[in-house]
Amino acid sequence: MGDKGSCEQRVLTKKNMGFIDIVFQWSLEDIFNDNLYKDQVTKIPVSFQSADQYFESYVLPLLEETRAEMQSSMEIIARAPYAMVTHLGVASYVPLMFYVNVDYWRKQSSTPDKKPYKTLPGDVLVIADVKPETASDLLSPGRAWTFALVTKIKDDNEDNSPSTSFKITALEDFVSKYDTKKSLYVIHLTSLITNRRIWNALHMRIRNLKIINEVLYTDQMVAKGCSLCTSEIGGDWNKNFLKSLLSQLNESQKNSVVACLNKMQCNHKSHVELIWGPPGTGKTKTVSVLLFALLRMKYRTLACAPTNVAITDVAARVLKLVKEAKKTGSVADGQFCSLGDILLFGNKERLKVDFKIEEIFLDYRVHRLSECFGLFGWRHCFTSATILLKDCVSQYQIFLENETRKEKKGGGGGEDDCKKVIHKSFLEYARERFARTAFPLRRCVSVLRTHIPKSYFQECTFQDFETLLGLLDSFENCLFSDGIASEEVEELFSCSIDDKLLPQNLCDSSHLFCSVRNKCFSVLKSLFGSLCELKLPSSRNKEAIEKFCFESASLFFSTASSSYKLYNAEMQPLKVLVIDEAAQLKECESAIPLQLPGLEHSVLIGDEWQLPATVKSNVSDEAGFGRSLFQRLTILGHSKHLLNIQYRMHPSISRFPNACFYNNMILDAAAVKRKSYEKHYLPGPMFGPYSFLNVSGREETDGVGHSLRNMIEVAVVQKLVQTLFNAWKRSRTRVSVGIISPYTAQVVSIQEKLGRKYEKVDGFAVKVKSVDGFQGGEEDIIIISTVRSNRTGAIGFVSNSQRTNVALTRARHCLWIVGDRRTLSERESVWQGLIRYATALNCFFNADENKELAKAILDAKKDFGPPDDLLNQDSVILKNAVRKVPSSGSFKKQSGKVKSAQTQKARKNHRTSLTQALQCLDELSLEEDSGNFLEEAVIAKLRGDHDHFWELVEALKAVDDIKEQRTIILYASTLRVYLGKFVFIINAAIKECLQKKPAGGEDDFSKDAINMINLMNRLHGQLELSKLKLESSIPVIGALCEELHSGWSSMAPFLCKQSYLEKDENHVPNEFGDHLGVEENSCEGEKCSKGKKLQKLLSNPNPEGTINLRKNKKSGGQNQKSMSIPEILDGSCIRHTFACSIES
């Protein structure tokens, strides 16, 4: 891509520039620049002075969030779906528009949920002459690439296979620039369809601000009724239909629905109503009853939700209510609403439309109506049926003449076949004709009465449909009755179709036959005339049929993003907007449906204590970009209708979230308090309704470095599911298990461990999802894997109260939480309170108290056990170590017992420096006289890490020569861990030498020491993964490693002079640091062992500088800064660096 101007020019957003124009002008440097909009994005206010300020507040945060989404996609571009271009053409009538054909899509399942990729309008693609493994590959000399936006799909495959032919638009004419001899690749990056719609909603020229104006100001946040309106719902239907409908609800649900319906009737001012639905309180049931009532009140309504799953769930519930009302007769014929009144629209694959809701889905409706309006549609069916009933005898004669003519021409088959055809009786002919005619006729009538609203027809037409179907059944019974003669049927078909002209001597059965036939003919003729008067669209124009569907429906379902389509729909204005899961919808995204023409009222249903919208950019998140309108109105004190009875959770499960998040305002329904609701799927108190299973594991990043996993917890979860399955095989009681983790890498690891073993087991269902994936879901048993396990108590976004609430409230009968007590309770968070609650309830258990879980943990730690686990007193490895070494003894003496050749070689290479340092680490990390032991094999592994540390330093000195970015990330992230482990050892040596330096002596070493410590801190910070994303950081790392290596070499002579290092012919000071050893002889003439010497070195005469890692877990901020000599002697640098290493 060519030069796009200065960074300042690219950042500015001009009103005359489109969203895609701005995004496509970004360079890769812009996309990876976390500070691109940092100085321009400001905090989004809670209240606004004008509508203009309201919309403008979201513009820059939206661009910053888009940049972060593009960056996130660029970071995993190696896993993105891609294809090779087979044809690239220019659309002559539109500039910068191109036609693209590709061979096939590779890596279709790059997402964690393994969904196959399918090209859709709004997708952002990278077109390049190379298949990039990293974003930096696009910047290689001689490479050509550009961004492109998919605008139209040419081949909309019915089998859901990825499209291979589509139209795109680009920012520049790259066709004339790239080398036609080179292969060209198309790589899917992300979809900007929602962000683009938000942008358009923020920049509309013509707006409907009725609702927006109601939510701007603080002084408007007091719910006021309209003085001009009555306080109760009017109409006769209130007494019958509403009473029956509301009987399904509890008191709080009923009050919420009635209050909203009262406000929706107002024609004098706009109203915004909030329904607060905590987990399990019947929120979806309440909103579905509300929508059904609005449908019956004939209010044109749009129901929205932030996700496809949420909106299809609500649509299915409303559809069920409509069908049940018709089936049970709870509504009168005049109040009956057909399915044609309801329309669900959006992307079929993302909505996951199945047979339960396909009747109301737009694409399905258009397809069925196209058939019905087509050449062989309703006109053909009605005409064929009319001819059959009126002229069947003459048609039979024509049939016989045609067959005779065929016989004479010799066109028929054998002699027997000809006789069989010629001698077909009238009854056989009539039955065959009826079967061929009645089936498509019934199908066509069903389509008309299902997919066209009742209100679209004349009042009698809908009843005529019902009558016709009944008459067809009756006539079929007469025609196919046993014992009827062919001649008799032919005679009856010859009778007049006018009842008045029927013969008087007909028997009862014959009279019934003629009567049914005549009535059927009469209804057909009447319906045909009525349908002809309607201006039904042509089947050849699907756009006209789609327009017809929008015009005729009155209740619409879509995601908030997809509601943008209604701006281009020619239809009567809407009146009411209902947003489900409103607390999960970004307020700027809710601006899409809120401005739809005609809208006067809105109802928001949600819970601000459940999942908020996902925001990738830290800058946008801090600005409040993810805040919902529901949450903002709550902050401003807007009144809410609370649903206060929960029907899902056993009281032991609901008690903590109720107290923690809802101030004990939620009541348990009688059903969940019954003894029968308490289930024990496994024996023992550990597996009751509520348990916290304490597991000391180890968190680690996945292969990409973007998510965390804990393989010890994976093993525990796997064992729990396996034990549940074995118990289920004995009882065969239907059970569903949900496994939740906040980290995608953990979800994937658990899915891989479980495999597909439980996928097709009838009666035993297992679902593994992230917290976001379980929003709105529930299972009999929920197992939560918290993942976080470290020595600093860092729990990241696991501390998010909303995510925690969602995870804790998905279970019906049993909730088992797997986590590390030490990590989760280290800092003030909701998890600290949860563990206290579990302990007070006697529901806190160490997982290894169960033999099967203990074995699973031990097996996992043998495979994945980290060195840090040795510092945990509850370690299963320590408890089950075959050979143990007292931690308080001489490490050299104990390690000499290790017989492994590899370990002996490591000990020989490292000499005494690392030996003493490790003993000191052991003594400082464990409580004095705690009785903990170290396993020798893992000690040897720690000693071997020292070699690797200096090897990585040497390798990264020449980082520019490393071509693979993945290799750089691997080297750098590993070095960062080792740097944290060993830097305090080096600091100790430096500090001791500084203390020994004579007063007034040469101060070069002091300066070098300060520079060395500052350098290590700078390198430690530079090696953060987030900084490795920037190409500019790579040379910095190489320079720092070079400086570290040379700086250490310059300090080595003074260390040797002070008898701290051995001067060995094989240990050249300017070689790797593992060649430097601690002198075993006297220190200033004093005899001491290695262990005592280093312990003395790490001691500080100043009590404030005493190093106690156990007491200083929380020390060490994130900001790296230069240190003075007093700070070094204070020992704070050691604690700071060690804390950083643990957190890394």
Side-chain angles (χ1 to χ4, degrees):
M1 300 178 72
D3 182 22
K4 298 179 181 178
S6 67
C7 180
E8 182 179 357
Q9 290 175 331
R10 288 192 293 269
V11 173
L12 294 177
T13 58
K14 298 179 181 179
K15 291 186 178 180
N16 60 347
M17 288 185 67
F19 177 71
I20 296 300
D21 294 331
I22 295 173
V23 172
F24 279 12
Q25 282 190 352
W26 289 337
S27 65
L28 279 184
E29 183 182 2
D30 292 333
I31 292 174
F32 280 90
N33 183 4
D34 292 337
N35 297 322
L36 186 66
Y37 287 97
K38 185 176 182 180
D39 295 334
Q40 301 179 62
V41 173
T42 59
K43 189 78 173 179
I44 299 173
V46 177
S47 62
F48 303 88
Q49 299 303 314
S50 67
D52 289 339
Q53 182 198 10
Y54 178 79
F55 293 116
E56 289 173 3
S57 298
Y58 292 97
V59 172
L60 288 172
L62 173 63
L63 287 174
E64 164 58 20
E65 176 65 10
T66 304
R67 183 208 61 78
E69 291 175 2
M70 297 274 284
Q71 176 185 351
S72 178
S73 299
M74 276 291 187
E75 288 169 353
I76 57 172
I77 196 170
R79 295 188 292 161
Y82 72 97
M84 289 187 65
V85 176
T86 57
H87 173 73
L88 184 63
V90 179
S92 57
Y93 54 91
V94 180
L96 300 180
M97 189 74 71
F98 308 93
Y99 294 106
V100 178
N101 292 338
V102 299
D103 52 0
Y104 64 93
W105 288 95
R106 303 155 179 85
K107 296 186 179 180
Q108 291 187 34
S109 300
S110 62
T111 55
D113 51 12
K114 305 298 182 184
K115 291 180 182 178
Y117 168 68
K118 184 173 182 179
T119 314
L120 294 171
D123 284 357
V124 174
L125 309 176
V126 170
I127 300 182
D129 59 0
V130 62
K131 168 56 185 72
E133 291 301 315
T134 63
S136 59
D137 291 346
L138 299 174
L139 300 179
S140 300
R143 295 299 182 193
W145 71 279
T146 189
F147 289 125
L149 180 74
V150 178
T151 58
K152 188 176 181 180
I153 307 299
K154 289 185 64 176
D155 50 347
D156 190 8
N157 301 328
E158 293 293 334
D159 59 356
N160 294 332
S161 59
S163 299
T164 57
S165 181
F166 42 89
K167 187 188 295 184
I168 63 170
T169 182
L171 190 64
E172 57 185 0
D173 183 8
F174 61 93
V175 176
S176 59
K177 294 183 178 181
Y178 86 95
D179 188 351
T180 56
K181 296 180 181 180
K182 294 182 179 179
S183 298
L184 203 61
Y185 297 87
V186 175
I187 304 98
H188 172 256
L189 199 61
T190 186
S191 174
L192 294 182
I193 188 69
T194 297
N195 288 5
R196 191 181 184 188
R197 288 168 174 171
I198 294 173
W199 175 273
N200 292 339
L202 298 177
H203 293 84
M204 284 184 175
R205 295 180 179 178
I206 302 176
R207 304 180 187 273
N208 171 19
L209 297 177
K210 290 182 180 179
I211 298 177
I212 296 292
N213 286 332
E214 288 296 316
V215 299
L216 292 179
Y217 312 106
T218 304
D219 56 1
Q220 290 181 328
M221 291 304 101
V222 180
K224 297 179 180 179
C226 178
S227 58
L228 301 177
C229 294
T230 58
S231 60
E232 294 183 359
I233 302 172
D236 294 336
W237 71 278
N238 179 30
K239 300 177 182 178
N240 302 314
F241 170 73
L242 186 61
K243 184 177 180 180
S244 173
L245 188 63
L246 295 181
S247 64
Q248 308 174 39
L249 306 178
N250 63 40
E251 198 64 27
S252 65
Q253 295 169 338
K254 187 186 305 181
N255 293 337
S256 301
V257 171
V258 172
C260 292
L261 292 177
N262 283 330
K263 294 293 180 65
M264 299 306 105
Q265 289 189 112
C266 178
N267 295 319
H268 309 100
K269 62 170 295 186
S270 295
H271 294 276
V272 178
E273 294 294 299
L274 272 59
I275 298 178
W276 187 11
T281 55
K283 176 175 58 65
T284 304
K285 181 178 182 179
T286 304
V287 69
S288 62
V289 170
L290 173 64
L291 290 170
F292 189 25
L294 289 169
L295 179 63
R296 287 306 318 123
M297 294 172 71
K298 302 185 185 303
Y299 288 166
R300 290 179 62 79
T301 305
L302 170 64
C304 283
T307 65
N308 293 292
V309 173
I311 198 61
T312 53
D313 188 21
V314 175
R317 295 289 287 269
V318 174
L319 182 59
K320 184 179 179 182
L321 284 176
V322 172
K323 291 183 175 180
E324 287 178 350
K326 177 62 177 176
K327 185 177 180 180
T328 59
S330 60
V331 294
D333 288 339
Q335 296 170 347
F336 169 73
C337 54
S338 68
L339 301 187
D341 291 296
I342 309 172
L343 187 66
L344 167 68
F345 61 95
N347 182 268
K348 182 178 181 180
E349 286 73 30
R350 292 172 180 168
L351 286 170
K352 295 183 178 179
V353 176
D354 57 15
F355 69 94
K356 296 179 182 178
I357 57 173
E358 67 179 3
E359 291 176 306
I360 62 173
F361 181 57
L362 175 63
D363 295 1
Y364 179 82
R365 179 165 294 172
V366 169
H367 175 70
R368 295 299 301 272
L369 288 177
S370 296
E371 293 178 346
C372 189
F373 297 158
L375 183 63
F376 296 98
W378 69 271
R379 291 178 180 273
H380 174 78
C381 292
F382 275 66
T383 302
S384 297
T386 303
I387 293 174
L388 171 66
L389 295 174
K390 182 180 180 181
D391 301 319
C392 187
V393 175
S394 60
Q395 293 293 314
Y396 178 64
Q397 295 300 325
I398 295 174
F399 166 75
L400 291 179
E401 292 175 3
N402 290 336
E403 294 303 313
T404 302
R405 192 178 298 111
K406 289 180 183 179
E407 180 186 6
K408 290 180 178 179
K409 289 183 178 181
E415 184 177 349
D416 294 338
D417 292 336
C418 291
K419 290 180 180 179
K420 181 177 180 181
V421 173
I422 293 174
H423 291 92
K424 180 183 292 186
S425 68
F426 177 83
L427 180 61
E428 291 173 328
Y429 173 80
R431 286 177 173 175
E432 288 181 6
R433 278 290 303 272
F434 179 84
R436 291 200 305 267
T437 303
F439 176 78
L441 178 61
R442 286 192 179 103
R443 180 182 174 89
C444 200
V445 169
S446 176
V447 169
L448 291 172
R449 63 194 291 268
T450 299
H451 295 288
I452 299 179
K454 180 182 177 182
S455 58
Y456 195 81
F457 300 103
Q458 296 179 6
E459 188 172 347
C460 62
T461 302
F462 221 80
Q463 183 59 46
D464 285 345
F465 283 142
E466 299 286 341
T467 303
L468 177 60
L469 293 176
L471 290 172
L472 287 174
D473 292 340
S474 299
F475 188 70
E476 184 176 21
N477 292 334
C478 294
L479 185 61
F480 286 82
S481 62
D482 297 333
I484 189 171
S486 178
E487 294 78 6
E488 180 184 358
V489 173
E490 186 172 359
E491 183 179 347
L492 293 176
F493 265 102
S494 300
C495 295
S496 173
I497 58 172
D498 189 347
D499 286 343
K500 297 179 181 179
L501 302 178
L502 289 176
Q504 299 296 321
N505 59 347
L506 291 175
C507 64
D508 291 342
S509 60
S510 298
H511 189 275
L512 177 63
F513 184 99
C514 292
S515 177
V516 172
R517 166 177 168 256
N518 293 351
K519 289 180 180 178
C520 193
F521 177 84
S522 176
V523 173
L524 276 170
K525 186 177 179 181
S526 175
L527 279 173
F528 188 83
S530 298
L531 293 175
C532 287
E533 292 178 1
L534 299 175
K535 296 180 180 180
L536 299 175
S538 168
S539 65
R540 297 179 181 178
N541 190 345
K542 288 192 175 183
E543 291 182 358
I545 297 177
E546 187 173 303
K547 177 184 175 183
F548 171 79
C549 292
F550 280 106
E551 287 176 344
S552 56
S554 58
L555 175 58
F556 301 87
F557 291 93
S558 77
T559 62
S561 174
S562 295
S563 68
Y564 188 81
K565 189 172 186 176
L566 294 179
Y567 283 101
N568 299 319
E570 297 180 11
M571 64 181 196
Q572 296 179 12
L574 298 167
K575 182 172 184 178
V576 180
L577 170 66
V578 178
I579 303 181
D580 190 24
E581 301 290 358
Q584 199 179 354
L585 182 67
K586 292 190 287 285
E587 183 166 3
C588 60
E589 189 172 349
S590 65
I592 298 174
L594 283 172
Q595 301 177 80
L596 284 167
L599 278 179
E600 297 177 7
H601 308 293
S602 180
V603 180
L604 310 181
I605 302 98
D607 177 14
E608 70 271 21
W609 281 108
Q610 295 192 59
L611 283 181
T614 301
V615 178
K616 288 185 178 294
S617 166
N618 291 331
V619 174
S620 295
D621 191 37
E622 291 173 1
F625 183 69
R627 187 181 62 202
S628 66
L629 176 59
F630 189 98
Q631 184 181 2
R632 186 171 68 83
L633 295 181
T634 299
I635 295 171
L636 292 174
H638 196 289
S639 61
K640 297 186 291 186
H641 306 288
L642 173 65
L643 309 181
N644 64 354
I645 300 179
Q646 72 88 13
Y647 298 85
R648 176 188 300 163
M649 295 164 277
H650 185 276
S652 297
I653 302 172
S654 66
R655 192 173 298 130
F656 178 78
N658 186 18
C660 186
F661 307 112
Y662 303 104
N663 199 26
N664 289 316
M665 293 187 294
I666 311 302
L667 305 175
D668 293 321
V672 301
K673 293 192 289 186
R674 295 192 184 103
K675 187 66 177 177
S676 59
Y677 202 77
E678 184 172 318
K679 307 289 185 182
H680 292 273
Y681 295 97
L682 295 176
M686 183 180 289
F687 306 110
Y690 183 87
S691 294
F692 186 96
L693 307 182
N694 182 34
V695 176
S696 177
R698 178 201 175 186
E699 64 185 56
E700 59 184 7
T701 58
D702 62 358
V704 184
H706 287 77
S707 184
L708 294 175
R709 63 188 177 192
N710 187 323
M711 300 307 294
I712 310 302
E713 289 189 13
V714 170
V716 171
V717 171
Q718 181 188 21
K719 177 56 68 175
L720 286 173
V721 174
Q722 181 183 341
T723 307
L724 281 168
F725 181 67
N726 293 335
W728 171 83
K729 288 192 294 185
R730 295 189 293 270
S731 65
R732 293 290 173 177
T733 302
R734 185 174 293 274
V735 60
S736 60
V737 182
I739 302 170
I740 304 177
S741 179
Y743 292 96
T744 302
Q746 186 76 347
V747 170
V748 172
S749 297
I750 294 173
Q751 288 173 338
E752 291 174 349
K753 273 291 182 182
L754 296 180
R756 311 184 73 174
K757 179 178 179 180
Y758 309 106
E759 283 187 2
K760 298 181 179 180
V761 180
D762 186 22
F764 187 84
V766 179
K767 296 179 182 177
V768 186
K769 296 181 180 180
S770 65
V771 178
D772 301 62
F774 255 107
Q775 171 90 334
E778 58 183 75
E779 304 296 341
D780 295 328
I781 304 170
I782 289 291
I783 304 171
I784 301 175
S785 174
T786 58
V787 178
R788 300 310 298 261
S789 183
N790 54 69
R791 302 191 63 80
T792 62
I795 59 176
F797 72 94
V798 174
S799 63
N800 182 279
S801 298
Q802 294 157 307
R803 291 182 176 276
T804 304
N805 184 33
V806 171
L808 296 178
T809 54
R810 301 303 102 195
R812 298 189 192 101
H813 307 294
C814 292
L815 173 64
W816 303 335
I817 304 168
V818 179
D820 186 341
R821 171 197 57 79
R822 179 191 60 194
T823 300
L824 296 176
S825 62
E826 178 73 14
R827 302 181 183 182
E828 193 69 31
S829 72
V830 63
W831 289 98
Q832 194 177 71
L834 183 145
I835 292 173
R836 285 199 298 264
Y837 166 74
T839 303
L841 207 64
N842 294 322
C843 295
F844 179 90
F845 305 92
N846 289 315
D848 55 12
E849 293 173 8
N850 179 278
K851 292 183 179 179
E852 292 186 353
L853 294 182
K855 185 178 184 303
I857 294 171
L858 182 59
D859 291 343
K861 289 193 175 183
K862 287 179 180 178
D863 295 331
F864 307 103
D868 292 345
D869 190 58
L870 298 171
L871 306 180
N872 178 16
Q873 300 183 42
D874 299 326
S875 168
V876 177
I877 288 185
L878 296 181
K879 291 180 180 179
N880 297 277
V882 177
R883 185 171 183 83
K884 302 176 181 179
V885 182
S887 62
S888 59
S890 169
F891 183 80
K892 179 182 178 183
K893 179 180 178 181
Q894 300 297 340
S895 62
K897 299 178 181 179
V898 181
K899 302 303 181 183
S900 166
Q902 181 180 0
T903 305
Q904 293 288 356
K905 180 179 179 181
R907 183 183 61 189
K908 179 180 179 181
N909 289 340
H910 295 299
R911 310 287 292 183
T912 57
S913 177
L914 182 59
T915 302
Q916 296 173 3
L918 287 173
Q919 185 195 358
C920 180
L921 172 62
D922 175 26
E923 293 175 350
L924 292 175
S925 300
L926 299 175
E927 298 289 353
E928 188 176 0
D929 300 325
S930 63
N932 286 339
F933 296 94
L934 297 177
E935 191 175 16
E936 295 171 358
V938 185
I939 291 294
K941 181 181 185 302
L942 273 173
R943 295 168 63 194
D945 288 345
H946 194 240
D947 265 331
H948 200 191
F949 170 70
W950 288 105
E951 290 172 3
L952 289 169
V953 171
E954 181 71 11
L956 287 172
K957 283 167 53 181
V959 67
D960 290 331
D961 296 333
I962 304 176
K963 302 300 182 184
E964 291 286 340
Q965 189 179 30
R966 287 177 296 181
T967 304
I968 296 174
I969 292 176
L970 177 61
Y971 283 5
S973 58
T974 308
L975 177 59
R976 190 169 191 265
V977 176
Y978 289 158
L979 187 66
K981 288 180 180 180
F982 296 119
V983 71
F984 77 96
I985 300 172
I986 302 170
N987 283 336
I990 294 172
K991 187 187 75 171
E992 191 266 349
C993 289
L994 286 173
Q995 291 172 336
K996 289 167 54 179
K997 185 178 68 65
E1002 181 61 42
D1003 202 35
D1004 289 341
F1005 177 77
S1006 301
K1007 296 177 182 179
D1008 291 340
I1010 295 171
N1011 292 335
M1012 177 59 63
I1013 294 173
N1014 291 333
L1015 176 61
M1016 290 176 178
N1017 284 323
R1018 286 168 54 203
L1019 180 58
H1020 190 271
Q1022 193 67 38
L1023 292 174
E1024 290 181 10
L1025 185 62
S1026 60
K1027 296 184 179 179
L1028 293 175
K1029 300 170 186 175
L1030 302 176
E1031 298 295 328
S1032 58
S1033 70
I1034 303 302
V1036 176
I1037 293 172
L1040 288 174
C1041 286
E1042 176 69 36
E1043 193 175 347
L1044 176 66
H1045 190 275
S1046 60
W1048 181 256
S1049 300
S1050 65
M1051 294 176 62
F1054 185 81
L1055 294 173
C1056 292
K1057 181 179 179 181
Q1058 297 298 323
S1059 301
Y1060 190 83
L1061 301 178
E1062 291 183 1
K1063 186 104 174 186
D1064 192 301
E1065 60 181 357
N1066 296 322
H1067 299 166
V1068 182
N1070 63 356
E1071 290 296 317
F1072 295 152
D1074 62 317
H1075 292 161
L1076 302 173
V1078 178
E1079 175 55 46
E1080 190 171 349
N1081 296 324
S1082 65
C1083 177
E1084 294 188 11
E1086 178 185 356
K1087 283 278 186 179
C1088 60
S1089 66
K1090 293 184 178 64
K1092 292 181 179 178
K1093 175 179 174 62
L1094 190 54
Q1095 189 173 8
K1096 180 179 178 182
L1097 295 180
L1098 289 171
S1099 300
N1100 194 328
N1102 184 356
E1104 295 180 358
T1106 302
I1107 301 171
N1108 190 328
L1109 298 181
R1110 176 68 69 176
K1111 296 180 181 179
N1112 288 281
K1113 290 179 183 178
K1114 297 182 182 180
S1115 64
Q1118 295 301 316
N1119 298 325
Q1120 307 291 341
K1121 64 177 184 177
S1122 299
M1123 296 185 178
S1124 62
I1125 292 179
E1127 288 176 318
I1128 298 172
L1129 295 177
D1130 183 19
S1132 61
C1133 61
I1134 303 174
R1135 293 194 296 275
H1136 168 75
T1137 311
F1138 185 74
C1140 289
S1141 72
I1142 294 297
E1143 187 169 1
S1144 71

